[in-house]
Amino acid sequence: MSPNLKAFLDTIAHSEIGDALLSVSDNGYNVCVGSTPANPILFGSYAAHPKIHNDKTNSDAAGRYQFMGRYWAPYSIQLNLPDFGHESQDRWCVQLIKECHALDDIELGHFEVAVRKCSTRWASFPGSPYGQHTNDMQALKNAYIKAGGTVS
């Protein structure tokens, strides 16, 4: 995985669950939606998407990139994912980036373009259509650069 792609994945995790929660979990890979650093909601098995529904958020998003459970079966088949472990979550995340046609932008350092293209997949990205809290583009760019990404 290139440094820019790795940094972009780190930025998605930063945006979706935050650095503080990353540090009190398995780097975010076992985090359920609704978690906070003071009250982390973590799942214990990576066998499959945990599909733990959070009534407060009306969601079952889970993992480092906050994947919805209803998409687990089709993506696990399409990508031949053996489990919901680290590598599988990373592969699924890269697939979503490809579907957004943002992979080349990431590799070329066109960070803001890539974020805009991926805003339909991650509700925390600026421009997301979901009506949830979104993060500031500059703050995300700072996280991306801190994670080793380059911007052109």
Side-chain angles (χ1 to χ4, degrees):
M1 184 179 300
S2 74
N4 277 3
L5 183 55
K6 182 181 179 320
F8 199 81
L9 268 60
D10 288 347
T11 302
I12 295 169
H14 164 85
S15 185
E16 287 290 308
I17 60 180
D19 291 341
L21 196 50
L22 289 170
S23 67
V24 297
S25 66
D26 183 12
N27 200 25
Y29 287 99
N30 63 337
V31 170
C32 292
V33 68
S35 292
T36 65
N39 184 31
I41 305 167
L42 309 176
F43 59 89
S45 171
Y46 288 110
H49 189 289
K51 297 185 182 177
I52 299 170
H53 188 267
N54 183 305
D55 290 334
K56 185 176 180 182
T57 62
N58 193 29
S59 176
D60 69 353
R64 191 165 200 256
Y65 313 107
Q66 293 294 283
F67 298 116
M68 302 296 290
R70 67 180 173 262
Y71 300 118
W72 166 246
Y75 278 102
S76 66
I77 293 166
Q78 175 187 350
L79 300 172
N80 196 28
L81 302 177
D83 56 28
F84 194 60
H86 297 205
E87 183 179 332
S88 294
Q89 289 185 41
D90 290 351
R91 286 178 49 210
W92 186 356
C93 186
V94 171
Q95 177 61 31
L96 294 180
I97 291 167
K98 288 177 181 177
E99 290 173 12
C100 293
H101 306 284
L103 189 58
D104 288 343
D105 295 305
I106 291 166
E107 298 299 359
L108 294 170
H110 301 156
F111 176 77
E112 291 185 22
V113 173
V115 168
R116 283 193 294 276
K117 286 182 176 181
C118 291
S119 68
T120 60
R121 295 299 193 277
W122 286 284
S124 64
F125 274 10
S128 164
Y130 302 109
Q132 299 177 18
H133 166 78
T134 59
N135 291 303
D136 176 74
M137 182 69 81
Q138 188 59 52
L140 292 179
K141 186 184 285 186
N142 292 344
Y144 172 76
I145 292 167
K146 182 179 177 185
T150 58
V151 178
S152 63

